[in-house]
Amino acid sequence: MALGDLMASRLVHSSSPSPSPAAAPSAAPLPNHSHHSHVTGDGLPVANGPEPRNGLEAEEEKPAPVAYLPQVLVLCEQRHEGLDEAAAAAAAAGPSTSGLVSKWRPKDRDMKTGCVALVLCLNISVDPPDVIKISPCARMECWIDPFSMAPPKALESIGKTLHAQYERWQPKARYKLQLDPTVEEVKKLCNTCRKYAKSERVLFHYNGHGVPKPTANGEIWVFNKSYTQYIPLPITDLDSWLKTPSIYVFDCSAAGIIVKAFLERLDWGSSSSASSPRDCILLAACEAHQTLPQSAEFPADVFTACLTTPIKMALHWFCKRSLLRCSLDHSLIDQIPGRQNDRKTLLGELNWIFTAVTDTIAWNVLPHDLFQRLFRQDLLVASLFRNFLLAERIMRSANCSPISYPFLPPTHQHHMWDAWDMAAEICLSKLPQLIADPNTEFQPSPFFTEQLTAFEVWLDHGSEDKKPPEQLPIVLQVLLSQSHRFRALVLLGRFLDMGPWAVDLALSVGIFPYVLKLLQTSAMELRQILVFIWTKILSLDKSCQVDLVKDGGHAYFIRFLDSLDAYPEQRAMAAFVLAVIVDGHRRGQETCISAGLIDVCLRHLQPENPHDAQTEPLLLQWLCLCLGKLWEDYPEAQLLGLESNAPEIVIRLLSEPQPEVRASAVFALGNLLDMGSSSVNGGDDDSDDDEKLRAEINVVRSLLQVSSDGSPLVRSEVAIALTRFALGHNKHLKTVAAEYWKPQTNSLLKSLPSLANISNPSNVYSPNSILQGSSGLASHIGPVLRVGSDSSATGRDGRISTSSPIATNSIMHGSPQSDDSSQHSDSGILLRENASNGGLSYTRSRPTDSGIYSQFISTMCAVAKDPYPRIATIGRRALSLIGVEQVVMRHTRFNSGGSAHQGETSAPPSNFGMARSSSWFDMHSGNFSMAFRTPPVSPPQHDYLTGLRRVCSMEFRPHLMNSPEGLADPLLSSAAAPSNAELSILPQSIIYNWSCGHFSRPLLTGSDDNEEANSRREERERIALDCISKCQRSSCKMTSQIASWDTRFELGTKAALLMPFSPIVVAADDNEQIRVWNYDDALPVNTFENHKLSDRGLSKLLLINELDESLLLAASSDGNVRIWKNFTQKEGQKLVTAFSSVQGHRAAGRSIVIDWQQQSGYLYASGDMSSILVWDLDKEQLLSTIQSSADSAISALSASQVRSGHFAAGFADASVRIFDVRTPDRLVYMARPHAPRTEKVVGIGFQPGFDPFKIVSASQAGDIQFLDIRRAADPYLTIEAHRGSLTALAVHRHAPVVASGSAKQMIKVFSLEGEQLTIIRYQPSSFMGQRIGSVNCLSFHPYKSLLAAGAGDNALVSIYAEENYK
């Protein structure tokens, strides 16, 4: 199974690319949002009628039965888990460099044994007095029979053999041998070894077979010079000579006594404060009360034989116990062909299997930190401990228990020994044939294949909660073999994909050096899986970046990223690995830049040709993040980026459909801005600096244009990037900010004409193009000068910025927000008063365009009022950096008229009506006033203040305005002292750490949650269809009031909503209090505020994803949209996203109308403005701005629930229009059904059922008109419902019924034929009379015959149903 296929078929990525609907002449297909199992077209049957006239019906088809249950799901990606949680999680989820995850690294990684002291006390032919030998008795020492030659020669021969046996495990150590020594010789040996080893470990091997057992005091025995006496050598002396780190092997009877004495010494040492912890390891042949086995089937030094020649010892022992004992000649064991380090020979393979088995036993039995210390730090210690496990198995069969310090749990009965026995048996059975014919082809053992299969079985059924796979160390061993390597890597990749816990386990087993080494291979088939494995490792532990750079591993990933034959998702992983390598690691940044990473990333950010299909978003995202990390805090790299035209390439991605890609592009651009640029804060004005500054200004200009993106993730990054700009360009921004509010002595009218005198080759504006469009300004300055910026007249590059008396009052001539069709008008004038003649002269503070600074300030004021709290905080911090401080002000709530509500504090009248305004500053700052850190100034003159009543947006603290002479204490304070905010750290970007989280989640398997969600959805679809068929057949006479809820809203109920699958109603008032109530139990469920800002007013409540986990959309009357999840849990509500739906169109006032269309994923928003904004909530992006082509405001909006992209709008002049997003001219129908009356349209809606061509429109005059857009513009049915007081209209989505409400405390329900089915009115005389107030809102249940009505005066929400409602 190639990993490529595995990855391609199973790689699940959250954001699937969605092609945007093209504005082609024919209707373009809808974007492919994340659909569920079945997708339906939106073609529908046409009711009998005349031939189609609008080109609307050309592509009609028969519908699927569930055409009206939309399959689109929005706002349920990972990024909607909440930005604040993301920020917290990002801090935690970003690859870590310390703590738990780095525990897998051995603390002393390079610890090795530098010197080995071998001490043999054999005294051959003389038995010690405390030993009584049996006959026949074990005699072999180092596989030599000491009685087969003269004792001195035998002793020397045994010593040399032991030296050779140890040398095979650690060839680089220095070996010292003492045969039958004295105390002095041992002391000299120890001192020499420690001197040579320095801080490395010393091994002391003691064979005491020719001396008595150790004493109870912990003394071992050596000889006197003449060998006439045994001399005791206290362990304490030995330890004081050898010092630490050390390892002791005691091969003698009652060796446990020595271990006990050592432990007492260690305890005593650790209790004395002076000594440092001792690194001391002990291996002893038996316990204190045991003697060594004397059976002739074992060698005399069976413990040493196990530790130094494990394969030979194991096979001899096994052979005597297996069925082969009769048939096999034991001498053949010594003739096994091959070399121990050659795995393609029999001996090498046996050694390899033995290592795998013992490693596996140790890893499964020992605590991980102990396993690290004993089996992964020091090669010789690891070998000795592996072999110690064999010694325990063999010697326990002879009733002897080897012991160690640190203590190991018993392992002699572990079931992996069975696997070893089987491998040994297979090997021994082949042995005679291999020896007889050395040319026989070597057949590898099935051991590793079988173990990999066992691991695969575990992967199919295992999980974090189950016992970890015991084959993990074997998988590690298999990586050494080319024949098994690919399969092992694929299985390892699957294991690592199970989560960070799996990566941690694999690292603790010791996988790291193996996969690091594999980066040096050129094997093409391993590339994809290696990149995947490294992705998983680095998503857990960032500290590996150092190793990768040291070993040149970065080059492997740069080559992979640059190769076009890999899948884009896999190249995204390579980009992720490189991003981690350069993250906060200067050495990594330098090596990657010299390896050409910037060029590679930029090349792949541009499609080969512009008509190519969309690149995989994950790849674009990570190319941007990689570039951002490469440039981060590295001025030389930023310069290289600017030189290689990076801004131009990355700026194109700011309109990508995926918010993650846009946010990553912003991150990359933000990191190109040099915060401490000397060129900006004074310095030499050479051309390089100018070039750099121009490039930076260009970047900032593009960032300002995405500051009102629909996704908080993107806006948050924009706010952070702009804060960097505020730091870097602090001086100039402070100057410009102060200029805005600099009071003038001349009167307004005296200065105004000089606006026309601006002449500058790069900024040519007629006065008319400077000021126009912002109604608040125009109405007051109209006769003198039109204020604003007409989109057609405003050049993208010309910038002007004013600080004339108009600007004194913070008017940004035609604010960036006043322009209807562009997100920002880029104009900004910096005009300073010329002291001599009171005229205005245009000055430049830098050779660049100063307009960018004024535009920056206006944008930051908008950001500081962002509906998403975290972003607003960043905006306020950025403003404080440039001297704009928040001033505490009493909360004043305004209704749509602009006057304060009764009983609430409003600003005193002496502030010349400055409480509300429509200038840019106020629109962005609302009630947080600004103070500027500039020297104290004289107060403004009144002769023009009064004239500019609505444009003075500087909301001074009320008590300061009480004195008509001017300000009591100036708001403008000294600029000398640096602010704390400046010194405080930059807000942290979250997109990088948050994006890293993607790779720590499973990538190869779809989650089980999907199945659960699908089954829940299918169940809901079944219920919905059932309810729909019932309500379509029902009488729809809503005569029974089943619930009445006193919401206790101070201002009456503004909006109400019935939940589709639970007996819950949600209501809200103009103070944006949202309350949730269960109407079956008559119990409150939840209450929360839509936001905490002082500017309140609610437009509408809508339900998103009603067939899945429903989200609540609350639209404020200022156009801000907030979407909540978990709103039906007590205090469980969470903000999913928030954005301004009328971005920049501040003329929309406080009469926003909005509607949602589930099957397209579109949100339509408009109001007192000339355009309708269409938002794609899947992409969180403004899809299009449709000109309404009407002179009056839009007062009602309704999206078709049947045809995607279709919506109807009712206007204040009583006209009705229908638009189709997919057609080139957008407008498909227009009528004036309410003529000759001109009262505004209060409600509009598509008629129930499948027919997309019939609409209902109700005007304030009280008439309800039924239209068929295929027929003439005249209505085919008119109902005179209420006389002049109609306030609400509701059209059921499926049942043939409409309802209207009036201010005269009455609700009427009509059939589509015009028959009045029900009338509900206030009856004060009857005791049980139905209480309703003036009707503010009406809302039908999506699928049932239920109607919710919200009252304006008594805040009741009443729910009506048919008589037989259960």
Side-chain angles (χ1 to χ4, degrees), residues 1260-1303:
Q1260 204 169 13
D1263 59 319
I1264 302 174
Q1265 307 289 354
F1266 290 72
L1267 297 151
D1268 186 329
I1269 63 179
R1270 293 161 302 186
R1271 295 181 170 82
D1274 298 327
Y1276 65 83
L1277 172 66
T1278 299
I1279 302 172
E1280 293 293 342
H1282 309 274
R1283 286 194 202 89
S1285 61
L1286 191 142
T1287 53
L1289 173 79
V1291 183
H1292 200 290
R1293 213 184 290 172
H1294 304 288
V1297 60
V1298 299
S1300 63
S1302 83

Side-chain angles (χ1 to χ4, degrees), residues 341-352:
N341 52 5
D342 181 358
R343 288 184 295 275
K344 290 185 176 169
T345 63
L346 190 55
L347 185 59
E349 187 183 59
L350 267 175
N351 193 44
W352 186 28

Side-chain angles (χ1 to χ4, degrees), residues 606-661:
Q606 311 169 75
E608 292 296 311
N609 78 69
H611 308 296
D612 276 0
Q614 174 61 53
T615 315
E616 164 65 36
L618 190 65
L619 176 58
L620 293 178
Q621 179 183 344
W622 276 101
L623 287 169
C624 289
L625 291 171
C626 185
L627 284 171
K629 282 291 172 187
L630 206 50
W631 296 326
E632 194 173 49
D633 306 327
Y634 188 15
E636 290 84 353
Q638 291 165 351
L639 213 54
L640 280 171
L642 294 172
E643 284 166 10
S644 51
N645 201 18
E648 191 181 316
I649 295 166
V650 179
I651 283 169
R652 289 181 204 142
L653 300 175
L654 294 178
S655 55
E656 280 294 307
Q658 290 74 25
E660 293 90 345
V661 177

